[in-house]
Amino acid sequence: MKSFLIITRRSPYGTSYGKEALDAVLMASAFVPVSLLFLDDGVFQIKQHQDADCIEIKDYSPTFAVLEQYDVKNIYVSASSLQHRGLTEKDLVLDVEVISDARIANLLDTNAVVLSF
Amino acid sequence: MHCIDTDREGYLKDLSDWSADVAVQLAESESLTLTDNHWEVIHLIRDFYMKYKISPTMRVLVRQVRDKLGVEKGRSFHLLTLFPDNPLKRLSKIAGLPKPPNCD
């Protein structure tokens, strides 16, 4: 079965890319093995203490925690993306695997389908 | 019985309007009488929605029911018996949640 890697690389709220990536993960997980990678500004999507009420948008960061129920176990965050933004694993709402750029290259190689949002 | 504000399909417009009494009324509009078996699933799906901010798919709901309420109840058949025809849709409506996606 073809495995999917979904890369989410934009900050939340400004555009709908982040939410769309999450929806894609939820949908694809019903059919194929899916991995999710937070890259670049995508790491802000799982930053703690988001408050989107003042812009009248739903904060979707709690929804990432549901991925385990959908059998999405491989959730990665780029170490360099975190570092460049002054973030650490402790700032995140989700238990994730922080990985090096070399591991990211490996993920790109080993997954049959790569979707970038 | 006071009037509850729903959309054309019977889903609550304002999710915070929900209460046990409202659930009973919504169930009546679906011709269902709520039993303990219904209530435990209603509370389960509401807890799920409050925690994750999305509705589960049927597959995930069945698994949640199995994990929380036991293997006997964690079957599509059990949910179909409680909420005939389209369990996810009817359950969401009575639980005061939005219409689930992919659910016509």
Side-chain angles (χ1 to χ4, degrees):
Chain A
M1 193 181 287
K2 282 189 176 179
S3 61
F4 276 47
L5 171 66
I6 293 180
I7 306 177
T8 187
R9 48 192 307 185
R10 308 196 197 205
S11 57
Y13 314 123
T15 66
S16 56
Y17 284 97
K19 185 68 170 51
E20 293 292 334
L22 173 57
D23 287 342
V25 173
L26 291 171
M27 191 172 58
S29 67
F31 306 103
V32 290
V34 181
S35 302
L36 172 62
L37 168 65
F38 294 89
L39 186 67
D40 300 334
D41 281 347
V43 299
F44 287 126
Q45 291 179 50
I46 45 171
K47 191 181 170 302
Q48 286 180 354
H49 310 305
Q50 296 184 34
D51 179 3
D53 280 352
C54 56
I55 50 172
E56 296 185 346
I57 295 180
K58 194 164 100 175
D59 165 16
Y60 62 91
S61 63
T63 306
F64 287 107
V66 87
L67 290 175
E68 199 180 355
Q69 311 280 343
Y70 284 70
D71 289 326
V72 180
K73 314 278 193 218
N74 299 324
I75 305 177
Y76 307 103
V77 177
S78 155
S80 56
S81 298
L82 281 181
Q83 195 194 351
H84 290 153
R85 288 159 186 80
L87 297 171
T88 71
E89 230 177 314
K90 293 195 181 72
D91 298 307
L92 307 179
V93 293
L94 202 63
D95 208 11
V96 290
E97 193 178 340
V98 178
I99 60 172
S100 66
D101 291 351
R103 278 288 303 283
I104 292 173
N106 182 250
L107 284 180
L108 292 169
D109 272 347
T110 53
N111 284 279
V113 178
V114 177
L115 299 175
S116 178
F117 288 82
Chain B
M1 184 189 286
H2 68 270
C3 192
I4 35 181
D5 199 12
T6 62
D7 66 14
R8 270 187 4 208
E9 293 177 88
Y11 293 86
L12 281 188
K13 279 188 184 164
D14 184 346
L15 306 191
S16 63
D17 283 348
W18 191 87
S19 67
D21 288 342
V22 168
V24 170
Q25 284 187 52
L26 291 167
E28 275 171 7
S29 69
E30 297 275 312
S31 308
L32 290 176
T33 306
L34 299 180
T35 65
D36 288 349
N37 280 335
H38 293 90
W39 282 111
E40 62 185 7
V41 185
I42 291 170
H43 288 304
L44 182 141
I45 198 173
R46 282 185 60 82
D47 290 347
F48 185 97
Y49 186 87
M50 298 311 158
K51 184 171 178 191
Y52 299 119
K53 311 294 177 196
I54 59 164
S55 301
T57 59
M58 189 61 190
R59 183 175 66 100
V60 170
L61 176 66
V62 169
R63 186 190 296 182
Q64 283 279 311
V65 172
R66 192 185 63 208
D67 292 350
K68 301 256 161 74
L69 305 177
V71 179
E72 283 304 310
K73 290 174 176 172
R75 303 173 196 278
S76 307
F77 183 76
H78 177 68
L79 296 173
L80 265 164
T81 311
L82 294 175
F83 303 94
D85 301 330
N86 190 331
L88 190 58
K89 193 173 163 181
R90 297 185 110 168
L91 172 60
S92 297
K93 188 182 290 185
I94 294 166
L97 303 180
K99 182 179 172 178
N102 314 320
C103 199
D104 290 319

